Amino acid sequence: MSNDNKVLENRGVYIHVPFCVKKCAYCDFLSFPANQTVYKQYVEALIREIQFFDRKMDTISSIFIGGGTPSVLEETLIFNIMEALYHQFLIRKDAEITIECNPGTIDKNKVRVYKEANINRISFGLQSASDELLARIGRIHTYNDFLSSYNCAREAGFCNINIDMMSALPGQTLDMYIQDIQKIIKLKPEHISAYSLILEENTPLYKNIAAYPSLPDEETERLMYYDTKKILLENQYNRYEISNYAKEGYACRHNKLYWERGDYIGFGLGAASLIEGVRYKNTENMEEYIKKAGKESVVCSQEQLTKKDCMSEFMFLGLRESRGICANDFKTQFGVSIHEIFGRVLQKHIDQKLMVSYSVDGGSQIWYALTDYGVDVSNYVFSEYLLE
């Protein structure tokens, strides 16, 4: 990717670790099991790629180490990755630095080293508090494994923890799901991500769905979503994005950067970047990645976003956030009124009760946000803002 001399302020970094102990039945991410030798070769290549990126003056406000399951790596490898990032970039003292961990893959020594490496946020992929459901979807852990890992992180001093939960799983009832949410609330994590299962093609779950218990019907899935919002709000978790809830001050900075179209740099196999209106994508071929990283670019594609692309992304990414999008921000970014470009469809969605408009600062700023009904059919709403 292009390494010009312009300094980027407050950008994000994403590190992709494509390894996992076992592929889950629903997962279509770029991830797979491997051995310690491959782990080491990959991290060496990853560090070479970081060093090859010649923008040492960029200021980084968030780092997200995702996967896969980054916590399958030895802690020294994670430390080495962080050391390379600190050498290559100016990382803010208050930067949010997250690592994804699966229950059962961390221990006291790992979380101690994470802290030493300045990682300050852990995201646990729990998905369900039911051992039966966990086994059904191919997770490697039990709920007790999760509790041990969670307590381990707390004892190490982590005070910003996210827990991923899933709804609409095979055989999951509304009562089962509500019990899961209530169990998690008692642990008082700072952040909860609650996603509905999406059947992705080419996953074991999709290919063999007839072998699983029935999925919850549409009405049950809708109730799961509404009850999540209601119960979490009662416990001081605010929904700031369609599937994300946080205590005051703990919204995920890195995810907000994506939704607000900030620049981010992706390192690793298949990682994506967005830098000054250009989207880059790394190769997904492991052999090619390890061979090229640090010697030549591992980018396999790049796309210059058009003004129309950026306008559309402003709408369908920004509308994921509960606060919605600001008409003033649109005018500032694109030099044209949001009503000139999207006025007709905005009014249509307001008339259909899919969206509301509201003003702040005495009417000086006009915002547009999805209603609960709009969230229910958000994919339809977002599709209406694609410009050809």
Side-chain angles (χ1 to χ4, degrees), residues 38 42 62 73 77 92 159 165 190 235 260 262 266 294 340 346:
V38 176
Y42 179 76
S62 70
L73 298 181
L77 296 179
R92 284 173 44 168
C159 55
M165 299 295 293
E190 286 70 32
N235 288 274
E260 294 165 15
E340 184 177 334
L346 284 169

Side-chain angles (χ1 to χ4, degrees), residues 8-155:
L8 298 179
E9 294 290 339
N10 298 328
R11 278 14 187 210
V13 165
Y14 175 76
I15 302 290
H16 187 62
V17 178
F19 309 118
C20 52
V21 176
K22 188 184 80 169
K23 192 87 167 173
C24 296
Y26 58 85
C27 179
D28 74 334
F29 293 147
L30 179 58
S31 61
F32 42 83
N35 57 44
Q36 294 292 338
T37 300
V38 176
Y39 294 169
K40 189 171 183 294
Q41 290 175 340
Y42 179 76
V43 171
E44 288 172 351
L46 181 64
I47 290 172
R48 291 197 303 271
E49 186 195 1
I50 293 168
Q51 293 169 340
F52 187 71
F53 189 83
D54 187 23
R55 298 183 69 136
K56 291 189 178 182
M57 295 305 292
D58 286 358
T59 302
I60 304 301
S61 59
S62 70
I63 297 170
F64 197 101
I65 306 173
T69 306
S71 52
V72 301
L73 298 181
E74 290 183 2
E75 58 273 17
T76 53
L77 296 179
I78 295 294
F79 189 90
N80 292 343
I81 293 169
M82 288 300 302
E83 190 174 48
L85 289 172
Y86 269 90
H87 180 75
Q88 198 69 13
F89 298 102
L90 295 175
I91 299 175
R92 284 173 44 168
K93 288 184 178 180
D94 66 343
E96 174 193 88
I97 305 177
T98 304
I99 186 168
E100 287 186 330
C101 298
N102 268 355
T105 62
I106 64 168
D107 53 35
K108 290 182 179 180
N109 194 51
K110 279 188 176 181
V111 291
R112 177 185 61 79
V113 173
Y114 295 167
K115 289 285 286 186
E116 290 175 357
N118 290 332
I119 294 170
N120 52 30
R121 184 174 184 270
I122 288 183
S123 180
F124 281 112
L126 171 59
Q127 316 311 355
S128 173
S130 162
D131 288 349
E132 179 185 2
L133 284 180
L134 290 172
R136 186 174 296 158
I137 60 176
R139 302 296 286 173
I140 63 167
H141 61 87
T142 64
Y143 184 62
N144 281 336
D145 291 333
F146 160 73
L147 289 177
S148 296
S149 296
Y150 182 86
N151 291 333
C152 192
R154 285 299 197 205
E155 289 166 7

Side-chain angles (χ1 to χ4, degrees), residues 69-336:
T69 306
S71 52
V72 301
L73 298 181
E74 290 183 2
E75 58 273 17
T76 53
L77 296 179
I78 295 294
F79 189 90
N80 292 343
I81 293 169
M82 288 300 302
E83 190 174 48
L85 289 172
Y86 269 90
H87 180 75
Q88 198 69 13
F89 298 102
L90 295 175
I91 299 175
R92 284 173 44 168
K93 288 184 178 180
D94 66 343
E96 174 193 88
I97 305 177
T98 304
I99 186 168
E100 287 186 330
C101 298
N102 268 355
T105 62
I106 64 168
D107 53 35
K108 290 182 179 180
N109 194 51
K110 279 188 176 181
V111 291
R112 177 185 61 79
V113 173
Y114 295 167
K115 289 285 286 186
E116 290 175 357
N118 290 332
I119 294 170
N120 52 30
R121 184 174 184 270
I122 288 183
S123 180
F124 281 112
L126 171 59
Q127 316 311 355
S128 173
S130 162
D131 288 349
E132 179 185 2
L133 284 180
L134 290 172
R136 186 174 296 158
I137 60 176
R139 302 296 286 173
I140 63 167
H141 61 87
T142 64
Y143 184 62
N144 281 336
D145 291 333
F146 160 73
L147 289 177
S148 296
S149 296
Y150 182 86
N151 291 333
C152 192
R154 285 299 197 205
E155 289 166 7
F158 280 91
C159 55
N160 190 356
I161 295 179
N162 168 64
I163 299 176
D164 283 348
M165 299 295 293
M166 293 183 73
S167 60
L169 297 173
Q172 187 181 44
T173 66
L174 179 60
D175 285 346
M176 289 170 67
Y177 177 69
I178 290 174
Q179 287 172 18
D180 279 0
I181 292 295
Q182 290 172 335
K183 274 186 178 181
I184 296 311
I185 288 170
K186 290 178 181 177
L187 296 175
K188 300 181 179 179
E190 286 70 32
H191 191 285
I192 297 173
S193 298
Y195 302 105
S196 180
L197 172 69
I198 298 174
L199 277 179
E200 302 285 3
E201 290 188 33
N202 300 318
T203 61
L205 183 58
Y206 179 90
K207 293 176 180 177
N208 302 295
I209 190 63
Y212 288 84
S214 299
L215 297 174
D217 59 31
E218 191 174 307
E219 176 63 13
T220 301
E221 185 175 349
R222 188 182 69 84
L223 289 173
M224 286 175 171
Y225 181 83
Y226 282 115
D227 283 349
T228 301
K229 180 182 175 183
K230 176 177 179 292
I231 294 168
L232 291 182
L233 184 60
E234 289 170 352
N235 288 274
Q236 291 74 56
Y237 290 91
N238 292 314
R239 183 174 69 84
Y240 68 96
E241 188 269 346
I242 288 177
S243 302
N244 286 275
Y245 303 79
K247 296 280 192 180
E248 184 67 31
Y250 287 97
C252 179
R253 252 190 272 167
H254 192 81
N255 284 344
K256 283 175 68 67
L257 181 143
Y258 292 150
W259 301 320
E260 294 165 15
R261 300 187 61 256
D263 283 348
Y264 55 90
I265 307 158
F267 295 109
L269 191 72
S273 305
L274 178 63
I275 302 175
E276 297 176 297
V278 182
R279 199 178 303 285
Y280 303 89
K281 179 77 161 46
N282 282 0
T283 178
E284 295 187 1
N285 182 297
M286 176 67 89
E287 185 177 343
E288 181 183 11
Y289 178 80
I290 290 176
K291 180 181 178 181
K292 286 186 174 182
K295 300 171 186 174
E296 55 184 300
S297 176
V298 292
V299 171
C300 65
S301 67
Q302 67 181 72
E303 174 191 9
Q304 175 71 57
L305 299 180
T306 66
K307 188 174 182 178
K308 285 185 176 181
D309 291 334
C310 294
M311 287 179 173
S312 293
E313 286 191 2
F314 179 96
M315 300 300 291
F316 65 72
L317 290 176
L319 285 170
R320 292 192 64 87
E321 294 192 76
S322 298
R323 67 175 187 169
I325 50 97
C326 178
N328 301 48
D329 290 346
F330 189 93
K331 179 68 179 290
T332 299
Q333 286 192 36
F334 303 112
V336 62

